[in-house]
Amino acid sequence: MEDFAETRRNLVKGGLLGGLALASVVGSARQAAAQASSDSLLRTVLDRGHLIVGTGSTNAPWHFEDEKGELTGMDIAMAKILAKGLFDDASKIEFVRQDAAQRVPNINTGKVDVVIQFMTISPARAQLVAYSRPYYVEGVALLTRPDSDKKTFDDLLKAGSGARISILQNVDAEETVKKVLPEATVMQLDSQPNVVLALDSKRVDAAAVDLSNVWWLAKRHPDKYFDAGKSWNAMLYGAAVRQGDPDWLHFVNTTFGVAIHGHQNEIYDAALRDYFGLTPPARKPGLPTF
């Protein structure tokens, strides 16, 4: 079989290597494996024939079970994007269901190829694993009721101390709310379900929860929940891989980049609509904007 590099040189000489031609040349998994370092996980995964992904199963809209007991959610969509890039088949994945505490150990022991489990990127964790480019920016947001007279952020701000906000109990809870609603009355509760239940029972005017939860709940139950239109405290979510393997990390980054900003965006766009109720971004040819 002709060497990939030689094939590319011949196509360039003949003036035949445009974008579509190059896509077809590099589309072969075997040729891709031949280019990877002999000790790279990229070669191992391609030879194995399926991807092993560590993730959770109990946190909608990121990773949860559908009515058939199959994993679904935004993290699962990102895993399918990787499998599609590797094998042109989004189903070639073995999922390892794990607790959040197992994310770093399972990467570093080689139990999984990649962790995609709403993992916040931080300098401390980056000393233990290598992170992909971010695929989402999480934040705190305000969930309100559509029948409330304080359903928008402006309404809550104007209400001053009359605005009651529930939030999960932690050392930063009061400060987190006061960043955007300095006069609000803060109710700290012991669990996330209770934070939302306080809104359901009208004990509070808004629940301060993750932005993704606001989008998820407002999309599923528009008669019950409303996005107040305010988010803050940005946190980056990325996939995690083992350190010391630039080929594998580069592949993950490239595949995510093409899905988010490029032309192979069907899975990513469907996930934005299904889990967040968002209109996918327009990708315009020309200068890059990322």
Side-chain angles (χ1 to χ4, degrees):
M1 182 177 69
E2 188 178 23
D3 178 76
F4 170 78
E6 184 63 27
T7 300
R8 189 183 191 284
R9 285 194 293 271
N10 290 340
L11 288 171
V12 170
K13 288 177 183 178
L16 301 176
L17 192 58
L20 293 177
L22 178 59
S24 65
V25 171
V26 300
S28 165
R30 291 297 176 186
Q31 287 174 332
Q35 302 304 305
S37 171
S38 60
D39 59 352
S40 175
L41 186 59
L42 176 57
R43 179 177 290 190
T44 300
V45 172
L46 288 167
D47 287 342
R48 184 200 301 137
H50 69 275
L51 178 68
I52 303 175
V53 177
T55 194
S57 60
T58 59
N59 292 281
W62 293 100
H63 40 261
F64 60 102
E65 293 182 353
D66 63 15
E67 62 279 1
K68 298 179 181 178
E70 297 178 355
L71 286 176
T72 188
M74 191 69 198
D75 285 337
I76 308 308
M78 299 310 297
K80 290 179 178 180
I81 285 168
L82 284 183
K84 178 72 173 177
L86 287 161
F87 309 109
D88 197 29
D89 186 340
S91 69
K92 290 193 172 183
I93 307 173
E94 174 188 342
F95 286 110
V96 174
R97 303 185 187 206
Q98 58 188 21
D99 294 329
Q102 296 175 299
R103 292 178 295 189
V104 171
N106 283 353
I107 277 292
N108 288 328
T109 59
K111 184 173 182 178
V112 299
D113 303 323
V114 59
V115 164
I116 310 178
Q117 193 174 354
F118 66 1
M119 196 168 179
T120 303
I121 299 173
S122 72
R125 283 178 174 166
Q127 298 174 44
L128 305 173
V129 296
Y131 277 108
S132 73
R133 64 182 302 158
Y135 60 86
Y136 178 77
V137 183
E138 187 62 282
V140 182
L142 296 168
L143 184 70
T144 58
R145 297 175 58 94
D147 59 353
S148 171
D149 60 354
K150 301 184 187 71
K151 72 177 183 179
T152 70
F153 174 70
D154 286 343
D155 295 334
L156 293 166
L157 192 60
K158 290 176 183 176
S161 61
R164 301 161 300 164
I165 314 298
S166 60
I167 189 172
L168 183 65
Q169 184 176 22
N170 64 80
V171 294
D172 299 318
E174 186 91 12
E175 180 184 356
T176 296
V177 174
K178 298 287 188 178
K179 279 183 180 180
V180 297
L181 295 170
E183 299 178 20
T185 301
V186 179
M187 179 187 295
Q188 298 190 42
L189 298 172
D190 59 353
S191 71
Q192 200 71 272
N194 282 339
V195 170
V196 177
L197 185 60
L199 177 66
D200 293 342
S201 62
K202 299 185 179 182
R203 288 188 293 144
V204 297
D205 303 298
V209 296
D210 287 345
L211 176 61
S212 57
N213 286 331
V214 170
W215 284 340
W216 169 251
L217 291 171
K219 177 186 181 298
R220 293 184 72 205
H221 306 288
D223 59 328
K224 191 174 180 181
Y225 299 115
F226 185 80
D227 178 359
K230 179 66 176 179
S231 59
W232 67 103
N233 278 16
M235 297 172 287
L236 305 178
Y237 282 0
V241 299
R242 194 171 183 177
Q243 292 179 338
D245 190 342
D247 287 347
W248 180 234
L249 178 60
H250 182 66
F251 174 80
V252 174
N253 280 334
T254 299
T255 306
F256 281 2
V258 171
I260 297 169
H261 301 290
H263 64 291
Q264 295 176 348
N265 44 50
E266 294 84 0
I267 297 174
Y268 187 79
D269 287 1
L272 292 182
R273 288 188 291 263
D274 292 346
Y275 307 123
F276 300 142
L278 300 179
T279 301
R283 287 88 173 181
K284 298 180 180 180
L287 296 177
T289 57
F290 53 91

